[in-house]
Amino acid sequence: MASDRLHVNGHQYDLRISGQGETLLLLHGFGGDKSVWEALRAGLDSAYRVIAVDILGHGASDKPLQVCAYHMSRVACDIVSLLDLLRIPDCHLLGYSMGGRLALCLAAGHPARFRSLILESASPGLADAAERELRRRQDESLAERIEIKGIAWFVDYWERLPLWTSQRKMSKDVLSAQRQQRLGNSATGLANSLRGMGSGAQPNLWPYLEHATMPALLLVGEGDSKFVAINQLMARQMPRADLKVMPNAGHNIHLEQPLVFQGQVHSFLQGL
């Protein structure tokens, strides 16, 4: 396993690369980093070359002060530049939550670069302009509070959200490790990531879905009713999408049901 720091478009990105075979690129969610994929990577790198990247503003990647650097289209171009530097003409793409929204942006803008698309608890964004503007203001308010109150405050706030109710029955050791990972982020990186890549800033990608011709796997937890409904709509619009609703899981399936999640990803990729 190797860690690389690659310089693209004026920013340093940190990646972890392991395994041999066809490439699978992993994109984490908001507040995460490449370490959240360790269980999946360990289960797949005997058959695939697995690349986990710290998205801009997270982990060991740069946290620039300029919000424009975090715009989703800019970050998508950075990811494509990383693939160019690694001489990877095409790959499989897996994204979780914010990383899933970024994965959709990548697939829409650079369809020839991705052989398949795996989306965990993802969304094409908000179709209504007024709703996007409301969410943008909410994201800006949270970004300002992160900058003023700091990462510890943010992690306390974030972990109390109803989105994570299903995790309350999980092992204390697993939840403690997740908390420590989140605490390792920076206030600047997360605040600007919200401003540039939050749901309020994300382009409306619903019109793209009917043109998404690569094989796609949509994964949602049965306890995450909001995203179950979103992904049911997505599956009806995407020509080659397969929707799987995972039992005994909420928003973060790869943490709550790691072996089941790994099995779904491996089965999908092997069946292509």
Side-chain angles (χ1 to χ4, degrees):
M1 181 172 64
S3 290
D4 285 294
R5 284 186 64 79
L6 298 180
H7 186 271
V8 294
N9 304 329
H11 302 114
Q12 294 278 349
Y13 278 80
D14 206 79
L15 307 90
R16 185 167 296 159
I17 304 172
S18 62
Q20 299 290 330
E22 296 179 3
T23 299
L24 171 64
L25 177 64
L26 307 177
L27 302 174
H28 60 77
F30 179 69
D33 64 24
K34 61 184 177 297
S35 71
V36 305
W37 299 117
E38 281 303 291
L40 180 66
R41 182 198 58 74
L44 292 180
D45 67 6
S46 62
Y48 297 93
R49 183 189 189 194
V50 182
I51 301 177
V53 58
D54 285 342
I55 296 172
L56 196 72
H58 293 75
S61 289
D62 280 355
K63 293 95 179 169
L65 298 177
Q66 301 82 7
V67 175
C68 62
Y70 296 81
H71 290 174
M72 190 163 282
S73 59
R74 292 277 295 270
V75 176
C77 286
D78 288 350
I79 298 297
V80 171
S81 295
L82 290 174
L83 294 176
D84 289 341
L85 280 178
L86 294 168
R87 298 181 181 179
I88 299 171
D90 55 46
C91 66
H92 305 286
L93 179 61
L94 189 162
Y96 160 64
S97 198
M98 179 193 76
R101 295 188 286 107
L102 175 58
L104 268 174
C105 186
L106 280 160
H110 309 271
R113 302 301 297 264
F114 303 104
R115 304 181 64 179
S116 71
L117 186 61
I118 303 172
L119 301 176
E120 177 192 1
S121 305
S123 161
L126 300 170
D128 182 75
E131 192 176 356
R132 283 199 305 278
E133 176 57 23
L134 175 61
R135 182 58 182 268
R136 187 198 64 76
R137 293 199 298 267
Q138 292 170 340
D139 288 344
E140 177 59 34
S141 175
L142 178 55
E144 291 174 357
R145 282 180 286 165
I146 293 172
E147 290 172 328
I148 294 169
K149 298 183 178 183
I151 287 296
W153 171 86
F154 164 73
V155 173
D156 287 342
Y157 162 83
W158 196 247
E159 291 180 347
R160 290 194 297 267
L161 292 178
L163 189 65
W164 315 118
T165 299
S166 59
Q167 295 186 10
R168 292 173 185 167
K169 59 188 177 183
M170 294 184 64
S171 156
K172 290 183 179 179
D173 289 343
V174 171
L175 294 179
S176 176
Q178 177 179 242
R179 180 177 176 82
Q180 290 306 308
Q181 178 275 305
R182 287 170 169 165
L183 287 168
N185 280 300
S186 83
T188 296
L190 293 192
N192 283 340
S193 181
L194 265 178
R195 292 177 174 119
M197 297 183 63
S199 295
Q202 176 183 346
N204 171 23
L205 294 175
W206 284 99
Y208 158 71
L209 297 184
E210 64 180 299
H211 306 290
T213 56
M214 73 276 288
L217 175 64
L218 311 182
L219 297 172
V220 286
E222 67 174 357
D224 189 8
S225 57
K226 174 183 175 180
F227 278 82
V228 169
I230 290 171
N231 279 259
Q232 286 171 338
L233 289 174
M234 292 170 62
R236 287 198 286 269
Q237 296 185 38
M238 298 174 74
R240 301 179 67 186
D242 186 16
L243 171 64
K244 300 288 186 181
V245 180
M246 300 291 98
N248 303 311
H251 193 69
N252 190 335
I253 309 163
H254 68 265
L255 180 74
E256 298 174 39
Q257 295 290 342
L259 294 180
V260 175
F261 184 84
Q262 177 186 315
Q264 289 290 339
V265 172
H266 188 265
S267 177
F268 170 73
L269 293 174
Q270 288 293 296
L272 293 176

